[in-house]
Amino acid sequence: MEPWLSCGCLLICLCVSVGTLLLQSLWVPGEESEVTPAGRSPEEQAQRGPVHGSQRGGPGVGRLALRLEALSAQLQRLSQERDAPNTDPQHLHLLVQSLRQDQQGLVQSVEEQLKRISQKIDQLSLQHRLHQEEEPPPGPLESCSVTLDPRYPACSEKVEFLRVRWQLDPCYAFYGVDGTTCSILTYLSQVEDFCPLRLGRNQSVLPWQHTGRSKTEKAEIRTILSSLYEEVGSSRGPALGFVRSRVEQMSREWIQAGLRMKQSSNNTASPQIKVLLYPGVLAGPAGQRFGSMVERGGPLGELVQWADLSACLTILGHNLTLSTSRDHLHSLIGAAPGGGSCPIQRPLPFDLIYTDYHGLAHLQGAMGLTFQHYQCRFRILDSFGTEPAFNMGSYARSHGYRTLWGSWGLQPLQYMTMFPHTPDNSLMGFAVRQGVRTESRKHNVAVVYGKQQYMWQGMADYIQVLSSEMEVHATVYQPPGGSAPLPPNVTNHGLLAQDHFHRLLHRAKVFVGLGFPYEGPAPIEALALGCVFLQPSLTPPNSSSFYRGKPTTREVSSQHPYAEHFVGKPYVWTVDASNLTAVRQAIRDIKLTQVKPFTPREFTCAGMLERLQAYITHQDFCTPSSPTWPPEGALRTHLGPLSLSCVSVCRRSGLVCEPALFHHLNNPKTFSRLGLSCSAREQEVNHLFPAYSPWGRRCGLQAEPLLFSCAGSDPQLRRLCPCRTHLPGQVALSPHGL
């Protein structure tokens, strides 16, 4: 017999013996004992009779111990077979194979039982904490009836609700609810806050409420990323593999940008905070599907943002935790076992949680009513933005703005976009890799932007004109052993790793868009590597089927509106792809144009550090009395013409619409200062207000602050718009208040 098999058997035997002894110590035959459930009155106990205990450890642990004994018997048999003369090797192999299968099943059973034991320990600990300050159980005269208290108007309704439904979610039993009025009242007063405290209970803060703590430690700029590498790990699938690879490749730029920020006289240390990153799109089966898409050329824009956000927060000196598992998320936030109807067990341990729409749903499904209590700490990575009209559920439903992705009722600035296309939201952005290598001149090479075959459909004539003028290269996904059918004279490299793709762009003169995908990071990366970006225009501007169902009314005028409007020529050329004469002329003009590598400051490592530092320091959605940021001094009030949104009104003047300043002009005095005479004033829940209607000289004020919106227009309204200036190359930041 092979030596490894002998050693392996001995090791397994030892583990089985130890495991059996451990589980047998937990598995004690059932002992009946009277137990007084928490919160039950003596009258209810008399009616129901004694409650009997159950087997310690439960039948599941008993079955697990029996399986261990059976596995031990298999090992003894295997050992005997090994020592017997004339042992058939094939027979031994079958025994080992059977043993391995049983071992795998056993490992899964052990994990399940340990999880149940852990939950039971948490439950016992929580119940002890809830009742440790209580007086002895109520006497015969104490009543567990619901008392009317104007401070708790929903108490009786909640009691009736739990009487009927407490068994539908195990979390209620975890918190001690057993269907009795006393247990329900205890829960509704000491875990939730719908009922007054019962007689004899001491007033205390609810276990999940944040009592406030002083943040004394200052965040210090870091010059290493080792803590992030440990957090990301190296074996969590292709998606996180991409994240780690990107961080490693850009580590030098991040560290250098951090050092420059540290040496800057404008750098002021902010409190060190605890941050959770939870990309919900990577959690569960959906995460596995997303990971497989990465390997086939799927969308990488979101992963680029998660990689750069994690690096940025690490360099800024904050404490970072990354999770891509719902079970891990529940453990981190202290979710009660069950379906998520109950509050979390303790104050939320994170100052900020960065997640996405998927993760937002996961958090709501785990936090119960504490979701609303802590939602001011959430920051949502939302590539294409969420306009206020879609964000407020009741308004969206009644005005035709309901989609699958909106209606969360957050502050619109809590949504963080990839590009500054929606000023109602905050710009998260990303960082572009700089100066990997340099070459003296560019070759007559065009690289086509489109990694999937379907993106090339209908563009054959466009590509033919391009290939008649330049050498054309592509990076289209090819299935193993197959090829991607592309137009002639196109060299396809297949999917390339990031560094190889950058080498190809270093050689290229032009990066060519096909009209899709919209608003990705690749064109900005190409500009940073010295390429010109050529893209199709969309005339007239349209929202396309891609944006249908997304919480935005934006209409795009090209494949990449940011590149068109914020960068432009000579770096970005936008042409009508159906006008082949114009396409050929644009290509010839580009061949004669010399450009240097260019990156807008907001998409450099330094710009992203500056922006995120400002957000963490100044954006406070949890304190109603916090000062406006940017301050009122940044406000430039503009009255727009009919049919124009505030986004367009401000842009026409070289300014940016700032939704945080809307409340400063949402008053009658603003109309007077603008020389407008109001024959009628109305306060209305309308995402286009404040606004002025020349017909009837109606002046409309906004009644719901969540609906202050830079987006949106109406042919009968002139909108009042809060515009501001911005730092050069940093649209998201005003020079005021930094």
Side-chain angles (χ1 to χ4, degrees):
M1 188 177 181
E2 296 292 336
W4 64 267
L5 183 58
S6 176
C7 295
C9 288
L10 290 174
L11 180 60
I12 295 175
C13 284
L14 178 61
C15 294
V16 167
S17 300
V18 173
T20 304
L21 289 172
L22 173 63
L23 289 170
Q24 284 178 338
S25 69
L26 290 171
W27 184 36
V28 178
E31 298 176 1
E32 294 190 355
S33 61
E34 292 188 4
V35 179
T36 303
R40 181 177 294 180
S41 70
E43 292 84 358
E44 291 167 328
Q45 293 178 41
Q47 292 173 359
R48 292 181 174 232
V51 178
H52 299 290
S54 58
Q55 292 177 346
R56 182 159 61 106
V61 177
R63 288 194 297 269
L64 192 57
L66 292 175
R67 288 188 65 179
L68 279 169
E69 291 178 357
L71 188 60
S72 178
Q74 280 185 286
L75 284 169
Q76 291 176 3
R77 181 184 173 192
L78 181 61
S79 179
Q80 292 170 0
E81 293 279 354
R82 179 199 62 185
D83 297 334
N86 304 321
T87 301
D88 183 5
Q90 180 64 23
H91 180 59
L92 265 182
H93 174 73
L94 292 174
L95 280 175
V96 171
Q97 190 174 24
S98 174
L99 180 66
R100 285 175 177 167
Q101 291 174 350
D102 286 348
Q103 184 184 10
Q104 290 173 355
L106 182 64
V107 167
Q108 185 176 356
S109 297
V110 169
E111 289 178 349
E112 291 174 356
Q113 292 301 327
L114 287 176
K115 183 177 179 180
R116 289 176 185 151
I117 292 170
S118 174
Q119 290 178 351
K120 188 64 178 177
I121 291 172
D122 287 345
Q123 182 180 12
L124 293 172
S125 173
L126 176 68
Q127 291 179 358
H128 172 71
R129 187 169 73 248
L130 288 176
H131 296 288
Q132 63 183 350
E133 294 183 357
E134 294 181 6
E135 294 184 1
L141 298 179
E142 183 184 355
S143 171
C144 282
S145 61
V146 180
T147 58
L148 296 179
D149 189 327
R151 296 173 300 169
Y152 301 92
C155 181
S156 58
E157 180 183 346
K158 290 290 182 180
V159 170
E160 291 304 317
F161 174 85
L162 281 183
R163 277 180 179 151
V164 176
R165 307 193 61 171
W166 72 273
Q167 290 180 307
L168 297 182
D169 194 326
C171 73
Y172 294 117
F174 174 81
Y175 276 115
V177 176
D178 59 9
T180 63
T181 303
C182 284
S183 69
I184 292 173
L185 285 173
T186 298
Y187 170 80
L188 290 175
S189 61
Q190 292 185 252
V191 179
E192 298 189 10
D193 56 355
F194 289 106
C195 293
L197 283 170
R198 292 176 57 204
L199 184 65
R201 269 60 174 180
N202 293 326
Q203 181 69 45
S204 62
V205 176
L206 295 175
W208 48 266
Q209 278 189 338
H210 183 69
T211 56
R213 61 183 177 85
S214 59
K215 302 171 185 174
T216 55
E217 292 189 27
K218 295 295 183 181
E220 297 290 340
I221 299 293
R222 293 192 181 104
T223 56
I224 56 173
L225 289 165
S226 56
S227 61
L228 177 57
Y229 298 146
E230 294 173 4
E231 194 64 38
V232 174
S234 57
S235 59
R236 298 195 200 175
L240 286 184
F242 175 89
V243 169
R244 182 185 175 100
S245 173
R246 179 174 173 85
V247 172
E248 288 176 339
Q249 290 177 7
M250 293 187 61
S251 60
R252 179 176 297 178
E253 282 100 325
W254 282 117
I255 292 170
Q256 289 176 347
L259 288 172
R260 288 194 297 271
M261 174 179 265
K262 192 173 185 178
Q263 295 165 1
S264 170
S265 59
N266 295 328
N267 178 46
T268 56
S270 60
Q272 187 181 65
I273 61 173
K274 293 182 179 179
V275 181
L276 171 63
L277 299 188
Y278 180 68
V281 71
L282 300 183
Q288 296 175 1
R289 290 193 296 270
F290 191 89
S292 64
M293 289 170 59
V294 171
E295 296 177 315
R296 299 196 304 269
L300 297 179
E302 291 179 69
L303 296 183
V304 166
Q305 282 194 289
W306 284 111
D308 294 354
L309 172 62
S310 63
C312 199
L313 290 167
T314 302
I315 291 294
L316 289 174
H318 300 297
N319 293 328
L320 190 65
T321 301
L322 173 68
S323 175
T324 57
S325 159
R326 293 185 73 168
D327 287 342
H328 187 214
L329 172 70
H330 289 191
S331 173
L332 290 170
I333 66 175
S341 302
C342 304
I344 56 179
Q345 304 173 51
R346 54 183 179 268
L348 189 68
F350 300 102
D351 301 294
L352 288 178
I353 295 180
Y354 289 88
T355 186
D356 51 23
Y357 266 120
H358 299 276
L360 200 58
H362 297 170
L363 284 164
Q364 186 189 49
M367 296 181 70
L369 63 83
T370 48
F371 177 83
Q372 288 188 334
H373 181 77
Y374 286 115
Q375 68 181 17
C376 61
R377 300 190 189 184
F378 302 155
R379 302 293 183 269
I380 316 304
L381 268 67
D382 177 19
S383 298
F384 302 101
T386 296
E387 294 175 7
F390 296 85
N391 173 56
M392 188 176 167
S394 58
Y395 186 83
R397 287 189 295 271
S398 61
H399 289 77
Y401 292 106
R402 187 176 183 182
T403 68
L404 291 175
W405 303 107
S407 301
W408 287 96
L410 304 178
Q411 292 291 336
L413 287 169
Q414 290 178 252
Y415 299 98
M416 312 196 84
T417 61
M418 181 170 286
F419 290 97
H421 43 58
T422 306
D424 293 305
N425 306 149
S426 299
L427 170 65
M428 168 62 71
F430 57 94
V432 173
R433 193 177 181 187
Q434 304 288 313
V436 181
R437 50 184 278 198
T438 59
E439 293 186 7
S440 57
R441 67 181 184 86
K442 289 283 187 176
H443 299 275
N444 192 34
V445 170
V447 176
V448 178
Y449 179 26
K451 296 180 293 183
Q452 295 283 347
Q453 173 63 34
Y454 74 88
M455 298 175 183
W456 293 64
Q457 294 176 3
M459 303 300 289
D461 293 341
Y462 178 68
I463 296 299
Q464 183 179 4
V465 172
L466 180 65
S467 62
S468 69
E469 296 287 338
M470 307 186 80
E471 180 183 324
V472 181
H473 292 251
T475 59
V476 178
Y477 169 73
Q478 298 179 134
S483 61
L486 297 176
N489 302 320
V490 175
T491 302
N492 185 25
H493 300 264
L495 291 183
L496 295 177
Q498 293 178 77
D499 53 346
H500 290 89
F501 179 62
H502 287 164
R503 289 194 195 106
L504 180 61
L505 288 179
H506 270 292
R507 292 179 50 219
K509 175 73 175 179
V510 60
F511 190 51
V512 181
L514 297 173
F516 190 84
Y518 295 114
E519 301 177 306
I524 307 302
E525 293 179 334
L527 298 182
L529 296 172
C531 293
V532 171
F533 179 48
L534 174 66
Q535 64 167 344
S537 63
L538 298 174
T539 307
N542 66 78
S543 59
S544 87
S545 59
F546 176 77
Y547 289 96
R548 195 169 300 135
K550 291 181 171 59
T552 179
T553 58
R554 276 194 307 124
E555 294 182 334
V556 292
S557 56
S558 63
Q559 179 176 355
H560 206 290
Y562 174 84
E564 178 188 6
H565 296 296
F566 287 85
V567 181
K569 290 183 179 180
Y571 303 99
V572 178
W573 296 61
T574 304
V575 297
D576 179 359
S578 64
N579 186 340
L580 299 182
T581 301
V583 172
R584 187 181 301 276
Q585 187 59 50
I587 294 170
R588 290 177 176 175
D589 291 342
I590 289 170
K591 289 166 67 175
L592 298 174
T593 302
Q594 297 296 321
V595 298
K596 295 181 179 180
F598 171 76
T599 306
R601 176 172 174 78
E602 54 204 350
F603 291 106
T604 64
C605 291
M608 188 170 181
L609 285 170
E610 177 184 47
R611 185 168 60 253
L612 208 62
Q613 173 85 322
Y615 289 157
I616 292 173
T617 303
H618 298 290
Q619 281 189 339
D620 182 358
F621 304 113
C622 298
T623 309
S625 60
S626 61
T628 301
W629 183 77
E632 187 177 1
L635 176 63
R636 304 289 184 271
T637 303
H638 283 246
L639 177 66
L642 298 173
S643 302
L644 218 58
S645 71
C646 285
V647 177
S648 300
V649 170
C650 296
R651 184 179 294 168
R652 280 185 169 188
S653 300
L655 303 172
V656 177
C657 180
E658 178 51 69
L661 298 174
F662 259 115
H663 69 279
H664 289 300
L665 51 79
N666 188 47
N667 57 71
K669 293 181 179 179
T670 305
F671 293 98
S672 299
R673 285 199 301 268
L674 293 171
L676 300 174
S677 175
C678 303
S679 63
R681 289 196 188 95
E682 55 189 7
Q683 197 165 16
E684 185 178 319
V685 176
N686 187 328
H687 75 286
L688 300 177
F689 282 10
Y692 176 76
S693 175
W695 292 273
R697 293 184 289 120
R698 294 171 48 247
C699 298
L701 298 175
Q702 180 60 257
E704 173 50 67
L706 283 180
L707 285 176
F708 282 134
S709 176
C710 293
S713 62
D714 188 286
Q716 296 185 354
L717 292 177
R718 300 183 66 186
R719 299 202 55 194
L720 270 65
C721 301
C723 305
R724 63 163 172 83
T725 59
H726 60 81
L727 294 177
Q730 187 74 283
V731 176
L733 299 183
S734 166
H736 296 78
L738 287 178

